[in-house]
Amino acid sequence: MYQQNLLLEGFTMAKGTVSPEIIEQLKQIVGEKYVYTDKEKLEPYSHDEVTDPHYMKEAQVVVLPATTEEVSKVVKLCYDNDIIMVPRAAGTGLAAGAVAIYGGVIISIERMNKILEIDTQNMVCVCEPGVTTSVLQEEVKKIGLFYAGDPCSGDSCFIGGNVATNAGGNRAVKYGVTREQVMGLEVVTPTGEVVMLGGKFRKNATGYMLMHLYIGSEGTLGIVTKVIVRLVTLPKYQMDLLAVFDNLDDAIALTPIVMNAGITPTCVEFMDNASIKQVEIFLNEKLQHSDNGNYIIIQISGDSEDTLDEQCEIIDELARKNKALDVLVANPAIIWKSRKAYLEADRARSLVFSMEDIVVPLTMIPEAVQRISRLAEKYNVAMHCAGHCGDGNVHIDILKDDKSQEEWNEMLPKIQGEIYAIVVEYGGRLSGEHGIGYKRQALLEKYGNPLELRLMKAVKKALDPKNIMNPGKVISINDEVPVE
């Protein structure tokens, strides 16, 4: 039987056992078919998209509720019996945030996948958390509306997971991250109570904005069971431009130049040459200027073709003044397939790799990337860079390749330490969109602001006093024991 003794505020507290009786009660709540206990069914839930075996842990049981009422009953059962709960969406995360590192019960919202209402008068969509981001986008598009959230994993990630991690994505430059898309949330608290926060209204000055605590909390404060998202009118016209540079610094430096010219792009993405070549191998397609080019991908959109043509001419002129080798109107299917294949291309080369997700002020990106890139030579390791340079979010893939697990375990923390020291120096943060999860929890303790961390811990203790809602993720409140 599972039992974990943990220290909380100076006294010992035994976390509850997932006994056969508890499992039977779970089956009564959601149905026997939706309670998994055998190893074969538990295995897919033992990890997210982080492929390092160090971050893979199995729960005692996985439960798949279908309604808010069922979620509430499962949570209350766990709370009353001091059983650890781990909320889980699609499992597309990159920080081991939905992995049961201390065992317990995984509560998966995958069956809660209905779009409940598209309200064209209030320009909102009400949906369950298991709706896939791309499905939501396609459904509202059919009636001429637009959901602006656009993580690169949109074909597979859930809206609930987007909320839990405050997902960013390609369109954050113009429309903002998930936080800017959410107007209301229904949440099941760690005690099993249900609360509705926010709503279909656009303004709210009624006390503390509790809704925003849950956005980006990575399932540590409760479980989202309903989401109200903001919709906008679908832009009539869209254009994708590709600017190619032989120097990555010049490429990234284009972003503030364009934005200072009065243009607000929908997306500004970059890929370094190593990433382009790796994607080329993965897709088995020849990409433009792949021999020595670094990409800046700029998407502009609006309701006037003339305006887009004018913006295109301005961007072309600015890019060439900034030493672009070429500027061309890109085929959107090809260029976005290439950009979104970045992660899978690196995974195909090295099953184990670390994707860092830093964010720094926009003007600091060239210098930060330059300094971080030098670490590849210092540690004799492959490092690829891509990301959302329109909002300062840089992804750095550190590839294990043929290094032994022992070498990797020794090397990776050193590289991360140097990366995060650079990030902090430039006034940045450890994660722009993937979150802290379990993977970066210790790093946040080391590099985070002590007062900010203390405030976070106070919130966690207030809302989850037993520390049984996804413990060990984001922050530690000194009651977890090391995981072997």
Side-chain angles (χ1 to χ4, degrees):
M1 274 314 160
Y2 167 77
Q3 189 162 356
Q4 185 74 65
N5 291 320
L6 304 176
L7 183 64
L8 175 58
E9 293 302 299
F11 63 89
T12 300
M13 176 182 184
K15 298 301 182 189
T17 299
V18 184
S19 65
E21 291 75 20
I22 293 292
I23 291 172
E24 285 305 311
Q25 291 182 64
L26 291 171
K27 290 178 179 178
Q28 290 173 21
I29 295 171
V30 303
E32 184 172 357
K33 181 180 178 181
Y34 301 111
V35 177
Y36 300 161
T37 56
D38 64 278
K39 193 171 183 63
E40 183 179 347
K41 287 190 174 181
L42 292 176
E43 193 284 327
Y45 298 87
S46 67
H47 58 87
D48 58 9
E49 291 296 313
V50 179
T51 49
D52 190 330
H54 176 72
Y55 300 106
M56 298 180 182
K57 306 289 177 182
E58 280 189 3
Q60 275 65 52
V61 58
V62 173
V63 181
L64 283 66
T67 66
T68 299
E69 182 182 12
E70 289 183 357
V71 173
S72 175
K73 287 180 178 179
V74 169
V75 170
K76 191 173 190 311
L77 177 65
C78 292
Y79 182 83
D80 289 344
N81 290 276
D82 294 335
I83 295 170
I84 286 171
M85 299 169 273
V86 179
R88 185 179 175 96
T92 59
L94 290 158
V99 178
I101 59 170
Y102 299 113
V105 177
I106 284 181
I107 303 173
S108 171
I109 48 87
E110 62 197 84
R111 293 176 63 211
M112 302 178 69
N113 58 4
K114 300 180 184 67
I115 293 177
L116 303 174
E117 178 188 9
I118 300 175
D119 182 343
T120 58
Q121 297 298 307
N122 287 302
M123 296 288 281
V124 299
C125 177
V126 184
C127 65
E128 293 181 327
V131 173
T132 305
T133 307
S134 60
V135 168
L136 172 59
Q137 291 169 334
E138 288 302 316
E139 287 303 308
V140 300
K141 184 179 180 181
K142 291 176 183 177
I143 54 175
L145 297 177
F146 181 59
Y147 174 65
D150 190 38
C152 285
S153 59
D155 290 343
S156 53
C157 65
F158 294 166
I159 291 296
N162 295 173
V163 171
T165 58
N166 190 27
N170 302 323
R171 297 183 183 135
V173 182
K174 185 170 185 176
Y175 296 102
V177 296
T178 298
R179 187 179 303 280
E180 281 69 51
Q181 318 310 325
V182 176
M183 296 178 63
L185 293 177
E186 181 183 78
V187 177
V188 176
T189 73
T191 61
E193 297 169 289
V194 181
V195 61
M196 186 67 204
L197 304 170
K200 291 184 178 182
F201 38 82
R202 301 270 166 166
K203 297 174 73 176
N204 184 7
T206 313
Y208 300 141
M209 295 298 100
L210 297 176
M211 180 182 78
H212 291 286
L213 278 177
Y214 289 94
I215 302 171
S217 65
E218 302 186 45
T220 61
L221 303 179
I223 302 177
V224 173
T225 51
K226 188 182 296 179
V227 187
I228 303 174
V229 296
R230 183 190 313 270
L231 303 177
V232 296
T233 304
L234 186 69
K236 292 181 180 178
Y237 304 102
Q238 186 170 287
M239 184 182 295
D240 296 283
L241 304 175
L242 174 62
V244 184
F245 297 79
D246 62 0
N247 183 288
L248 185 60
D249 289 355
D250 293 336
I252 297 174
L254 177 64
T255 303
I257 294 172
V258 169
M259 298 178 79
N260 287 334
I263 298 172
T264 303
T266 305
C267 314
V268 186
E269 301 290 300
F270 81 93
M271 297 175 68
D272 69 6
N273 185 251
S275 300
I276 294 166
K277 288 179 177 177
Q278 194 62 50
V279 167
E280 192 174 53
I281 293 169
F282 176 70
L283 296 177
N284 195 27
E285 293 181 17
K286 179 65 177 175
L287 300 179
Q288 294 169 302
H289 296 285
S290 61
D291 291 339
N292 63 342
N294 298 278
Y295 285 178
I296 292 291
I297 307 164
I298 301 177
Q299 184 180 93
I300 51 178
S301 60
D303 295 328
S304 166
E305 281 189 290
D306 291 341
T307 300
L308 259 60
D309 287 341
E310 291 173 9
Q311 291 181 351
C312 179
E313 290 177 8
I314 293 171
I315 292 170
D316 182 284
E317 181 180 351
L318 293 173
R320 294 185 189 279
K321 280 185 178 179
N322 211 52
K323 304 177 185 176
L325 299 174
D326 198 4
V327 182
L328 57 149
V329 176
N331 181 321
I334 293 175
I335 198 64
W336 288 112
K337 180 174 73 170
S338 302
R339 169 62 185 92
K340 292 186 176 186
Y342 165 72
L343 179 64
E344 289 304 313
D346 280 347
R347 193 193 310 280
R349 168 172 165 173
S350 178
L351 183 60
V352 174
F353 68 99
S354 183
M355 188 182 207
E356 304 307 319
D357 170 43
I358 65 163
V359 61
V360 295
L362 199 63
T363 54
M364 295 291 102
I365 296 178
E367 192 172 336
V369 169
Q370 186 181 80
R371 289 179 61 186
I372 290 168
S373 296
R374 293 192 196 118
L375 299 176
E377 183 176 351
K378 177 177 178 179
Y379 289 95
N380 188 29
V381 65
M383 292 174 61
H384 299 163
C385 289
H388 318 296
C389 56
D391 53 27
N393 188 196
V394 179
H395 301 313
I396 304 123
D397 281 3
I398 308 166
L399 279 61
K400 177 176 176 288
D401 283 339
D402 58 356
K403 287 181 169 52
S404 69
Q405 191 64 40
E406 291 73 20
E407 290 175 311
W408 176 250
N409 291 343
E410 181 180 352
M411 176 187 69
L412 182 60
K414 295 177 181 177
I415 298 176
Q416 288 175 321
E418 294 207 41
I419 289 174
Y420 293 134
I422 293 169
V423 170
V424 171
E425 179 183 337
Y426 289 130
R429 291 293 185 269
L430 275 62
S431 175
E433 61 184 0
H434 296 159
I436 299 300
Y438 173 53
K439 179 180 175 182
R440 299 185 183 90
Q441 186 270 315
L443 291 162
L444 180 61
E445 287 283 343
K446 182 174 181 179
Y447 294 100
N449 178 286
L451 178 55
E452 189 177 8
L453 289 172
R454 197 165 80 231
L455 294 172
M456 290 183 193
K457 292 176 183 183
V459 170
K460 171 68 171 173
K461 289 177 183 178
L463 298 183
D464 180 21
K466 292 186 177 183
N467 193 31
I468 55 176
M469 183 64 76
N470 212 10
K473 314 297 172 54
V474 186
I475 55 172
S476 166
I477 59 173
N478 300 320
D479 70 335
E480 293 97 6
V481 295
V483 178
E484 297 299 328

